[in-house]
Amino acid sequence: MPKFTKEQIREKFSNSSDFNELFDAFEAALESKIDDLDLYKILFWNYTLKPDELCLFGEKLVQVFPHIAYDVYLWLAKIFEVTYSMFDNYELALEYFFKASQVKPEEPEPYLAASNCYEPDLNIPPADYLIEFLRKGVLHVKNPSPLYKRLAELYEKIGDEDQSLYFRKLSEGSQTEFTEE
């Protein structure tokens, strides 16, 4: 007999502010083999959880249900981007966008979402890091045009007009070959 029903787990994820209670509900969900990402999203949005606790839950969830790893990593990245970016300068968001891209390198969303984190006035996260990440993504995604466009924008923001023009041409299809430097 399960420790908690799915509804009880949902209730605890939504309303509990006690880590131990949340952890018990999480463990009960795993024991019940519940791989419903929407249920875990409720947990991930629980405002009482600290970043390291969110990482703990996310990493454990991926260990138990590797088939939802991409979605878990992408969801955590977006949570960190929205809620903790002012404290860690997007480090956790980027870490999880990177993990999502490792699970499904052909998907453009992690690359594009990571580049949305850029704050040009502060160069946070560092433009060089984002550029390198996007350039790697170009080699894997089916349609690299949106990544080329984003690279052109990033290069423009940092003042590299030659690279900006190069990637703009690639994004428009007027130049057909990308060469990794």
Side-chain angles (χ1 to χ4, degrees), residues 82-97:
V82 170
T83 58
Y84 295 102
S85 59
M86 67 187 116
F87 302 113
D88 75 358
N89 297 329
Y90 297 103
E91 288 174 21
L92 283 170
L94 293 177
E95 178 182 334
Y96 281 92
F97 283 131

Side-chain angles (χ1 to χ4, degrees), residues 133-176:
F133 184 51
L134 285 164
R135 289 176 76 109
K136 287 179 182 174
V138 161
L139 302 173
H140 300 286
V141 298
K142 293 175 184 115
N143 176 12
S145 187
L147 273 64
Y148 290 149
K149 183 177 182 196
R150 198 60 57 87
L151 279 162
E153 292 166 2
L154 278 170
Y155 276 116
E156 184 177 325
K157 287 178 181 176
I158 64 169
D160 189 334
E161 293 301 321
D162 291 339
Q163 286 296 309
S164 178
L165 180 61
Y166 171 73
F167 283 103
R168 195 161 314 286
K169 286 180 180 179
L170 283 172
S171 76
E172 295 165 353
S174 58
Q175 186 163 337
T176 58

Side-chain angles (χ1 to χ4, degrees), residues 2-178:
K3 188 174 184 177
F4 299 115
T5 66
K6 190 172 179 179
E7 265 319 301
Q8 289 171 322
I9 293 168
R10 183 182 313 279
E11 175 69 24
K12 290 187 185 303
F13 285 178
S14 295
N15 299 319
S16 181
S17 60
D18 179 74
F19 176 78
N20 291 325
E21 193 172 278
L22 290 167
F23 188 80
D24 288 345
F26 179 74
E27 287 290 312
L30 296 181
E31 287 171 17
S32 297
K33 306 280 189 238
I34 300 172
D35 66 350
D36 177 4
L37 183 61
D38 289 333
L39 177 66
Y40 296 104
K41 285 179 180 181
I42 296 167
L43 172 66
F44 294 152
W45 276 116
N46 186 305
Y47 70 94
T48 64
L49 292 175
K50 298 177 184 109
D52 59 327
E53 294 167 341
L54 287 169
C55 293
L56 171 97
F57 285 132
E59 295 297 334
K60 179 68 174 173
L61 186 59
V62 166
Q63 284 178 352
V64 175
F65 303 116
H67 65 279
I68 61 172
Y70 174 80
D71 295 316
V72 169
Y73 290 149
L74 198 58
W75 191 256
L76 283 172
K78 290 177 180 183
I79 288 172
F80 290 133
E81 177 185 10
V82 170
T83 58
Y84 295 102
S85 59
M86 67 187 116
F87 302 113
D88 75 358
N89 297 329
Y90 297 103
E91 288 174 21
L92 283 170
L94 293 177
E95 178 182 334
Y96 281 92
F97 283 131
F98 181 75
K99 286 182 178 203
S101 75
Q102 288 181 312
V103 175
K104 289 188 178 180
E106 71 282 0
E107 291 295 326
E109 187 173 2
Y111 307 105
L112 295 171
S115 68
N116 287 337
C117 294
Y118 186 60
E119 296 288 339
D121 294 338
L122 302 172
N123 193 34
I124 297 173
D128 294 344
Y129 176 86
L130 293 172
I131 287 169
E132 179 184 334
F133 184 51
L134 285 164
R135 289 176 76 109
K136 287 179 182 174
V138 161
L139 302 173
H140 300 286
V141 298
K142 293 175 184 115
N143 176 12
S145 187
L147 273 64
Y148 290 149
K149 183 177 182 196
R150 198 60 57 87
L151 279 162
E153 292 166 2
L154 278 170
Y155 276 116
E156 184 177 325
K157 287 178 181 176
I158 64 169
D160 189 334
E161 293 301 321
D162 291 339
Q163 286 296 309
S164 178
L165 180 61
Y166 171 73
F167 283 103
R168 195 161 314 286
K169 286 180 180 179
L170 283 172
S171 76
E172 295 165 353
S174 58
Q175 186 163 337
T176 58
E177 189 174 321
F178 169 69

